[in-house]
Amino acid sequence: MIKGFLKKNLLPLKRKVLKDPKNTKILNELGVCYYLLGQLNLSYYHLSLGLTKTSSKNKGLRSKLYNNKGLIYLKWKNYKMALLNFKKALKEDKHSFTAHYNVAQLYLKFGDFVNALSHLYQIPNAEEDSGVIISKAYAHILKKEFKSSLNLLNKLEKEGKINNFRRTN
């Protein structure tokens, strides 16, 4: 269902690129559509083209383009290049929620809880985000700080963001 929707909207996006080639936001949108369709090479092409055509002054869009390229590298299991692109996204926009979150997820994947927590605590306005809180809880488990982890998870349960969370002895 979603793939059909995405395919249906590709043609209008392609037309927009031809009509307004200076609007590089469309290249990001095309890259995201191709990514969601699993056409990673086409996604990579459009995101890379977007980066070359986007002014260095447009840091917000450049951050999104780098972050999205990082997601492609994750799919390709090239974690080094994924991390590099996520960090480039942060150079463009040091307050990017998504880039900090993605960097943290990579660090967690490889057990680096120190760097993961550093990025998780830099995410702006993330106190209420369940994904960030769960990631912090996991980092505390890696640190063997089980009580801290449990406190974070209990906070989610109290706020109704986790259902059927059971504590065992």
Side-chain angles (χ1 to χ4, degrees), residues 3 6 12 27 30 35 38 43 45 52 85 97 99-100 118 130 133 137 146-147 150 157-158 162:
K3 285 197 176 192
L6 291 170
L27 292 170
L30 267 171
Y35 175 84
S43 177
Y45 169 78
T52 60
N85 276 273
F97 181 109
H100 275 297
S118 171
S130 59
I133 294 169
F146 304 112
K147 193 170 186 176
L150 189 58
E157 183 184 28
K158 285 178 189 168
I162 292 183

Side-chain angles (χ1 to χ4, degrees), residues 44 51 59 62-67 69-70 73 81-94 96 99 103:
Y44 184 88
L51 279 166
K59 296 195 174 289
R62 292 180 63 78
S63 178
K64 289 176 186 176
L65 288 159
Y66 276 121
N67 186 75
K69 276 183 70 174
Y73 282 114
M81 288 302 293
L83 184 61
L84 178 70
N85 276 273
F86 294 146
K87 285 185 172 184
K88 284 181 179 182
L90 286 171
K91 278 187 181 178
E92 296 290 342
D93 178 5
K94 66 181 180 180
S96 170
V103 169

